[in-house]
Amino acid sequence: MDHLVVLAADLASGVDWCERKLGITPTAGGEHPLMGTHNRIFNISSPAHPRAYLEIIAINPGASKAISTSARRWFDMDDANLQAQVAQHGPQLIHWVASVPDVAAACTALSALDIERGAVITASRPTPRGVLQWQITVRDDGLRLMDGCLPTLIQWGAVHPCDSLPAVGVQLAQLSLQHAQAATLQAACDAIGVGPQAAVAAGNAPDLTAQLTTPLGPVTLSSSTEKKAAT
């Protein structure tokens, strides 16, 4: 488990959500010129997930994508329905990213299960401590796959964001995945070596759930709009 992805309509609303929901103010982050997005991140490492962070991401209104105009941004960020959900309910947990030692080999393992995770692209963003570099899977259609429950794959360079992210009192206790294709999802997680990182269960309504300990007490984040509407 590398990081959780929370989509916001803009970073200001994402920061406000974080302060109200989790009791902390995210300060770190940067821009992704390749995708025309920017983010805020903070450490959520825990004994169960020793190098993990949460990313609040939004489309950067002051930037344009450097990628082909026919390609879409990562994490379904250009999907009109997902944008409408965030506009109605506020920032929402939509996805997770898994760190792998060899992203090409992990993609091959998924291909053997007839799952095309997407092309491996090289990306980077500047930080006050230098440039972060990584390889990440991004499909041309921008799809997350399995409603966000199947992780995007990432292979970091020499530096990881958590190397310079201080503890802020938020920790990831458990990550749970619910999907109608639970057996396929479990097989995919096992194939890329992250099976023990997430509890997979069968269910008609897809849901990605993260249980966090925070300065405000236990908090559960869910990708289900039904659960968001109920709270």
Side-chain angles (χ1 to χ4, degrees):
M1 218 303 293
D2 190 74
H3 67 275
L4 302 176
V5 181
V6 170
L7 178 61
D10 54 74
L11 282 189
S13 64
V15 171
D16 177 70
W17 167 87
C18 189
E19 292 173 340
R20 290 184 291 102
K21 188 78 172 178
L22 306 179
I24 63 110
T25 301
T27 57
E31 299 184 0
H32 312 112
L34 189 65
M35 291 287 166
T37 60
H38 55 179
N39 69 3
R40 296 289 184 270
I41 63 176
F42 57 92
N43 201 325
I44 59 169
S45 299
S46 66
H49 304 279
R51 197 166 73 160
Y53 65 96
L54 188 147
E55 171 184 42
I56 301 170
I57 192 167
I59 293 175
N60 185 353
S64 58
K65 290 184 303 183
I67 58 176
S68 166
T69 55
S70 64
R72 295 164 70 91
R73 291 178 177 87
W74 45 26
F75 311 146
D76 275 320
M77 291 180 67
D78 289 317
D79 182 79
N81 290 331
L82 186 58
Q83 290 176 352
Q85 289 174 18
V86 171
Q88 180 179 359
H89 299 292
Q92 181 175 335
L93 175 66
I94 62 165
H95 196 34
W96 67 296
V97 178
S99 177
V100 293
D102 187 332
V103 67
C107 286
T108 298
L110 290 180
S111 293
L113 299 174
D114 293 324
I115 298 173
E116 293 305 319
R117 181 56 280 183
V120 177
I121 66 172
T122 298
S124 65
R125 68 172 177 84
T127 76
R129 296 175 177 85
V131 177
L132 283 175
Q133 296 179 318
W134 64 94
Q135 296 180 75
I136 189 169
T137 55
V138 180
R139 292 170 55 101
D140 284 345
D141 56 16
L143 290 179
R144 295 163 290 163
L145 297 184
M146 292 192 178
D147 304 280
C149 291
L150 183 70
T152 287
L153 307 179
I154 195 168
Q155 180 181 344
W156 287 99
V159 180
H160 187 274
C162 284
D163 295 341
S164 58
L165 287 177
V168 292
V170 180
Q171 292 189 331
L172 175 61
Q174 184 175 355
L175 180 68
S176 302
L177 312 172
Q178 177 179 292
H179 201 275
Q181 297 175 286
T184 300
L185 179 58
Q186 183 69 69
C189 288
D190 291 341
I192 59 177
V194 298
Q197 295 289 298
V200 179
N204 292 329
D207 190 22
L208 168 65
T209 302
Q211 297 178 9
L212 304 170
T213 58
T214 80
L216 301 179
V219 172
T220 298
L221 303 181
S222 171
S223 64
S224 169
T225 54
E226 288 79 8
K227 288 186 178 181
K228 283 186 69 66
T231 58

